[in-house]
Amino acid sequence: MSLSPLNQSVRDESKYSKVTAIWVSGVLLFTLSTPVAVSASPVKAGAVCTKANQKVVKAGKSFICKKSGKRLLWQIQKIKKISPPVATPTPVATPTPVATPTPVATPTPVAKLFESVPPNLETPITWSTVVDRRSESAAIVYADVQATVRRNKSLPNIDIPYRVYKGPNQNNSHYADLDGWLGDLFSFYARAVKPDSYIFLAFPYQDLEWAVSQLSKPEINHPGYEIIVRNANKSVNQGFRQNAVPNMLTGRFDGIWLLPANLSGTNDLPTRQLHEESTVNHEYAHQVQQAQWKDENLNGPNLGMGRDAPCFLVEGLATIPELALVIDDSDGFKRNLKGRIRGAYTSDPNTRDELGNFTGYAPLTEPITYDFSLSYLDNSFKPYCNSGLQYGLSYSLGYLATEALAVIGGVESPMALFTLMGKNNLTWNQAFEYIYGISWSEARPILANYIYLQAKDYRS
């Protein structure tokens, strides 16, 4: 270790003092042992001495003979006091500063865009098991619809204001339970973006002019809807219509409906009341679907869901409450689905009206293979797919694809896709992976295989 100049000086002085002490001791011993000739003059300070540098110790004092001027005089010799060595302090190690850890910011919780509620199953259905467990699907979907309606009844503010106007010749037995049907629908879709209001016009064909006159009244005030009313009521074979009101304000979705009085029972739904209820349930789904885009201008064709949503999902989703909220048990639900798949149809190209809608259908004659199912799904994403000839397949094959999504993610999950695309501005691929944890490119062949095999089972 190197020394500082101060420490070096102390060590040199100590060395010198030790040498002096040894020398003085030697001289004293020599003086004491060697006889000295002393003059008669007494030895004291200032007395005359005879020999220069002669040293004498007397009375505990050391005297030295020194020349003072021209004489030699005794002087008291001053012995240099030797200071004891000063211990060099041992350097104390400076402690290494301990770095203060940088505080880690607590991440702000991010609200989930949608929280899926899968069906309540002991062993959940996954993408790897959905095809093999397809025989369970109808019962699972049916039970999950009932559970969802019951669960969501307790949610706040699920009701939507609506007004019903009945024609003077309307039989009160038509749509008699409309309030109850709407209550279940409000609950079923409670976690989606809500429409803001509804107007229902219920009337038979002979009340057509009454219906047109209502449009100009202040409480309705939608005279621009007349073209829709007249187009749907060209004869006693009235059409069922639901639309957004004309010139709707951005940020709102207000619906207007035409409820015809000519619906009757069918093979699958044997009473008029069941047919009316199922139709309201189906068409209500389309109102909620479009309402997910209400923050954009929807005054025009092919906007909102017409631009962003695949056609298989538009009708496939609407089929779930159409039947599950009407039929009394899961066996009846499955029988109805089988009939629908066996009677799969496409649009009839010869029945397009002046508004571009197909009003008639033709039976599907092609076999439902895996490749056909895959092609159908791909065509569902084409622009204006709702005007294509395959749109009619959305009520059958589209339902099967939606059924597979529902048994994996719950019956609310298909509508959540609309919400993420409309309200949250996600693309289809982003929304699909967010909800189902798998990319659309990975799910596509699984769904095509599901459609192919489920249709094969239902048609056998």
Side-chain angles (χ1 to χ4, degrees):
M1 181 173 67
S2 62
L3 297 173
S4 66
L6 176 59
N7 288 336
Q8 185 69 50
S9 174
V10 172
R11 292 174 70 90
D12 291 345
E13 181 180 342
S14 175
K15 181 179 178 183
Y16 170 79
S17 299
K18 290 178 181 179
V19 172
T20 303
I22 294 170
W23 179 83
V24 170
S25 300
V27 171
L28 287 174
L29 290 172
F30 179 80
T31 303
L32 291 174
S33 62
T34 305
V36 178
V38 181
S39 66
S41 300
V43 178
K44 62 179 181 179
V48 176
C49 59
T50 59
K51 187 176 181 180
N53 295 322
Q54 182 183 355
K55 294 181 180 180
V56 175
V57 176
K58 186 178 180 180
K61 296 182 180 179
S62 295
F63 294 89
I64 186 169
C65 184
K66 287 284 189 181
K67 188 175 184 178
S68 177
K70 295 181 178 182
R71 296 187 298 169
L72 292 173
L73 301 175
W74 289 109
Q75 297 178 8
I76 297 174
Q77 184 181 20
K78 294 181 180 179
I79 299 175
K80 188 172 183 180
K81 187 175 181 180
I82 300 173
S83 301
V86 179
T88 303
T90 303
V92 178
T94 303
T96 304
V98 178
T100 302
T102 303
V104 178
T106 302
T108 303
V110 177
K112 286 192 173 183
L113 299 180
F114 179 77
E115 189 74 48
S116 294
V117 183
N120 184 19
L121 301 174
E122 184 175 345
T123 304
I125 291 180
T126 66
W127 285 101
S128 61
T129 62
V130 65
V131 174
D132 291 338
R133 295 178 63 182
R134 63 188 181 276
S135 63
E136 305 172 48
S137 295
I140 292 171
V141 169
Y142 183 85
D144 198 34
V145 169
Q146 317 310 317
T148 299
V149 171
R150 290 192 301 269
R151 181 177 64 245
N152 289 351
K153 289 282 187 182
S154 62
L155 295 178
N157 305 317
I158 65 172
D159 292 338
I160 299 169
Y162 62 93
R163 290 170 289 164
V164 181
Y165 298 88
K166 295 182 178 181
N169 294 299
Q170 175 79 332
N171 188 317
N172 287 333
S173 64
H174 289 285
Y175 308 97
D177 296 324
L178 180 63
D179 292 342
W181 305 342
L182 292 175
D184 286 345
L185 292 167
F186 294 162
S187 179
F188 185 69
Y189 295 112
R191 296 206 294 151
V193 175
K194 295 193 305 181
D196 294 281
S197 71
Y198 294 115
I199 295 170
F200 295 94
L201 293 171
F203 60 95
Y205 173 69
Q206 61 260 44
D207 289 341
L208 171 60
E209 296 307 320
W210 167 88
V212 171
S213 68
Q214 298 302 302
L215 299 177
S216 298
K217 291 191 173 181
E219 60 268 28
I220 297 180
N221 194 27
H222 292 298
Y225 196 60
E226 179 178 353
I227 186 173
I228 304 294
V229 174
R230 294 194 180 280
N231 183 269
N233 288 273
K234 292 182 175 180
S235 69
V236 293
N237 296 318
Q238 295 174 277
F240 194 112
R241 297 288 186 273
Q242 57 76 24
N243 301 91
V245 299
N247 302 313
M248 186 169 60
L249 297 176
T250 300
R252 290 186 61 88
F253 188 92
D254 301 290
I256 186 166
W257 297 60
L258 303 180
L259 306 181
N262 64 312
L263 296 182
S264 59
T266 65
N267 291 334
D268 297 325
L269 301 170
T271 69
R272 183 195 71 210
Q273 288 80 5
L274 288 176
H275 194 184
E276 289 177 346
E277 180 181 2
S278 67
T279 306
V280 169
N281 292 350
H282 184 102
E283 297 302 326
Y284 184 87
H286 295 323
Q287 293 260 301
V288 180
Q289 288 169 342
Q290 188 72 319
Q292 307 312 292
W293 281 264
K294 71 178 184 179
D295 287 335
E296 68 176 71
N297 183 356
L298 296 176
N299 293 302
N302 295 300
L303 298 174
M305 74 170 183
R307 176 193 62 233
D308 298 337
C311 282
F312 85 82
L313 191 65
V314 172
E315 297 298 348
L317 187 161
T319 300
I320 293 176
E322 171 194 348
L323 300 178
L325 288 176
V326 171
I327 298 172
D328 290 335
D329 55 57
S330 61
D331 290 338
F333 178 66
K334 188 171 184 177
R335 283 195 302 272
N336 197 293
L337 291 175
K338 285 185 175 181
R340 182 162 295 201
I341 304 305
R342 290 168 182 163
Y345 53 81
T346 63
S347 299
D348 184 344
N350 299 315
T351 61
R352 191 189 297 269
D353 64 18
E354 62 268 28
L355 298 179
N357 299 312
F358 290 111
T359 59
Y361 301 96
L364 175 65
T365 56
E366 296 179 66
I368 302 174
T369 63
Y370 170 81
D371 289 337
F372 182 88
S373 302
L374 197 63
S375 175
Y376 164 72
L377 289 175
D378 291 343
N379 288 337
S380 288
F381 289 87
K382 290 183 177 180
Y384 307 103
C385 64
N386 58 346
S387 299
L389 292 177
Q390 282 197 339
Y391 188 75
L393 292 175
S394 300
Y395 300 93
S396 53
L397 306 191
Y399 166 77
L400 293 180
T402 308
E403 177 183 80
L405 300 181
V407 298
I408 293 172
V411 293
E412 292 176 289
S413 65
M415 182 61 80
L417 292 170
F418 288 80
T419 305
L420 295 188
M421 289 187 291
K423 177 183 177 182
N424 301 111
N425 297 313
L426 270 62
T427 65
W428 166 259
N429 289 329
Q430 291 170 334
F432 191 90
E433 189 162 356
Y434 186 96
I435 296 295
Y436 297 107
I438 185 176
S439 69
W440 172 249
S441 61
E442 294 172 297
R444 171 178 164 269
I446 299 174
L447 291 176
N449 199 33
Y450 184 94
I451 293 171
Y452 158 57
L453 292 175
Q454 190 75 306
K456 182 179 179 182
D457 293 345
Y458 280 3
R459 300 182 108 189
S460 61

